[in-house]
Amino acid sequence: MLKRLAFAALAGALWAGMGLANCVPPASTYFACTLRDGQKRVEFCQGPVTEGSSPDYYTYNLADGAAVSELYFTADAPWISTKYFRGRNGNVSETLGMALENKGYFYAFYITGIFGSPIRAAQLHVFDSQEAFQSDAGETEIRRHYCRPETVLVDWTFVGP
């Protein structure tokens, strides 16, 4: 019986890792997804929030499955970038970018969709400067990864216009 419970807990943890963020309490998920080009999971977490305040800290974690983090760091505040574009069918969509800075690099997630609706696309970008992150020019990132849409988690309470 104990072996079955241990196996069920391990299987549940592995399954949850595909769709859930592993933010360490009291932090909560700001954004998370599994990248398309493997099993790597990126998680942006935020510290606790009380009514009328913003989080004290944010964390970034990139790991391959249950392996030790490839990159983990804490930042005091996010950088925000919002862009708008007109899609093929003429609808205007928002593309929101939120970045955390670490040693001069800006690690950002971008989500595309209409505020509060299901996410149509999500990406992870890495920029080598604040200017590159906030530039209106396209393709200023040094790395880009695409998220599997079914694995995207977003806290709409804090992500949006």
Side-chain angles (χ1 to χ4, degrees), residues 73-125:
F73 64 86
T74 301
D76 293 334
W79 294 83
I80 306 294
S81 172
T82 303
K83 298 175 178 36
Y84 297 90
F85 70 94
R86 190 168 300 281
R88 289 184 209 142
N89 58 2
N91 293 338
V92 174
S93 292
E94 303 165 347
T95 297
L96 174 85
M98 195 279 283
L100 298 177
E101 187 269 335
N102 184 47
K103 299 179 182 176
Y105 288 90
F106 288 73
Y107 299 82
F109 68 81
Y110 283 89
I111 54 175
T112 300
I114 298 170
F115 178 73
S117 66
I119 303 299
R120 290 196 327 226
Q123 300 174 10
L124 173 67
H125 293 214

Side-chain angles (χ1 to χ4, degrees), residues 14-15 17-20 31-42 63-65 110-111 119-124 145-154:
L14 292 174
W15 179 79
M18 291 301 291
L20 300 175
F31 170 85
C33 80
T34 300
L35 304 179
R36 281 190 191 168
D37 53 357
Q39 296 302 313
K40 289 186 183 177
R41 183 102 180 130
V42 64
D64 194 351
Y110 283 89
I111 54 175
I119 303 299
R120 290 196 327 226
Q123 300 174 10
L124 173 67
H145 298 279
Y146 296 90
C147 295
R148 294 181 191 168
E150 71 277 8
T151 68
V152 174
L153 295 175
V154 174

Side-chain angles (χ1 to χ4, degrees), residues 22-28 41-47 57-64 67-75 100-103 107:
N22 295 313
C23 299
V24 177
S28 61
R41 183 102 180 130
V42 64
E43 300 171 347
F44 289 75
C45 303
Q46 60 190 359
Y57 65 90
Y58 296 82
T59 63
Y60 174 93
N61 183 37
L62 178 66
D64 194 351
V68 174
S69 294
E70 201 172 295
L71 178 61
Y72 177 89
F73 64 86
T74 301
L100 298 177
E101 187 269 335
N102 184 47
K103 299 179 182 176
Y107 299 82

